[in-house]
Amino acid sequence: MLYPLLQPAPTLHLLFWFAGLSDISISEDTPVEGEITIPMRSRAREFDSSTLNESVRNTIMRDLKAVGKKFMHVLYPRKSNALLRDWDLWGPLILCVSLALMLQKSSVDGEPGGGPQFAEVFVIIWFGAVTITINSKLLGGNISFFQSLCVLGYCILPLTAAMLICRLVLLAGPGPINFMIRLFVVVVMFAWSVIASTAFLADSQPPNRKALAVYPVFLFYFVISWLILTFTP
């Protein structure tokens, strides 16, 4: 019964261990001091990538250049993830507002004109884009909500150009030749918008469901094309 009492206490073990450490000496040749430094090149790169210190003018110019590059991707459609990687909604907003303003009908003495109101065009475009995006997600597409809105919005650029051309053609007055010119322009720009959008969105859909994802895109741009073609000032 006295054996456990004769065992050295744990405190004595620790005292003996620390006493042994006191006999260990560090060689004078061994460096024991130092500091953690960040390379100046990394600091400069981090400072350059920050946008907190740039002027408002530089910020606006940088955003406008980014929008212009995306416009070029739509004008020359090819399989690329530029619109998906660096998405934004500035370009779609500019195109939607421009198209809605050109399609806005005028009223004289309370009589309706030959086109829809600004709010109607705005709602049709954004509601259609949101519907297509939800359909794409339900089909199993690996694209985010805002990436899809970005692509669909930027691909309205050809139809916006078609609306501008049709407004200029309508200045010559109505007629069969006038209608044929507008029909040709709208059909070409409609095909351009569909091809450009599918070039960016097709690879994000499952192979066996691409047709189900492209069909709503076709209807979306067809409705906008019909609004442009039937517009009369």
Side-chain angles (χ1 to χ4, degrees):
M1 296 298 295
L2 295 176
Y3 179 73
L5 299 176
L6 297 178
Q7 292 286 339
T11 306
L12 294 178
H13 282 292
L14 292 175
L15 292 176
F16 292 148
W17 186 72
F18 283 114
L21 288 178
S22 63
D23 298 333
I24 300 175
S25 62
I26 300 175
S27 175
E28 295 181 356
D29 298 333
T30 304
V32 295
E33 295 182 356
E35 60 180 4
I36 300 175
T37 60
I38 300 175
M40 295 300 297
R41 186 174 301 176
S42 300
R43 289 180 179 178
R45 188 183 304 112
E46 182 180 357
F47 180 79
D48 293 339
S49 61
S50 176
T51 60
L52 296 177
N53 298 320
E54 69 177 1
S55 62
V56 177
R57 179 178 178 274
N58 292 336
T59 302
I60 295 175
M61 293 303 298
R62 176 170 51 81
D63 292 339
L64 289 178
K65 289 180 181 179
V67 171
K69 290 180 180 179
K70 293 181 177 67
F71 283 160
M72 295 303 298
H73 281 286
V74 175
L75 294 177
Y76 299 97
R78 57 186 180 276
K79 289 187 177 181
S80 173
N81 60 350
L83 287 180
L84 302 179
R85 183 180 62 252
D86 303 324
W87 63 267
D88 67 80
L89 298 180
W90 287 114
L93 180 61
I94 294 172
L95 293 175
C96 180
V97 171
S98 302
L99 186 59
L101 287 175
M102 288 188 289
L103 281 171
Q104 185 178 10
K105 67 183 179 179
S106 60
S107 60
V108 180
D109 296 333
E111 294 295 331
Q117 292 286 357
F118 177 88
E120 295 174 357
V121 178
F122 202 87
V123 170
I124 288 173
I125 293 177
W126 286 105
F127 179 77
V130 170
T131 303
I132 294 173
T133 302
I134 295 176
N135 176 73
S136 175
K137 297 297 293 182
L138 293 178
L139 291 175
N142 56 356
I143 184 173
S144 70
F145 183 83
F146 291 105
Q147 285 176 334
S148 179
L149 289 180
C150 173
V151 172
L152 294 171
Y154 270 101
C155 290
I156 300 177
L157 176 62
L159 292 175
T160 305
M163 184 64 220
L164 180 60
I165 296 174
C166 290
R167 289 296 297 257
L168 296 176
V169 172
L170 285 171
L171 294 177
I177 298 178
N178 185 305
F179 177 78
M180 294 302 297
I181 294 175
R182 291 190 292 123
L183 177 62
F184 174 77
V185 171
V186 171
V187 169
V188 171
M189 295 305 180
F190 163 72
W192 201 330
S193 294
V194 173
I195 293 173
S197 60
T198 53
F200 296 110
L201 297 177
D203 292 338
S204 64
Q205 300 298 324
N208 58 341
R209 296 181 179 179
K210 287 185 178 181
L212 295 175
V214 173
Y215 178 68
V217 176
F218 178 88
L219 291 179
F220 173 64
Y221 292 118
F222 177 80
V223 171
I224 299 176
S225 301
W226 183 259
L227 292 176
I228 297 173
L229 183 61
T230 57
F231 173 80
T232 55

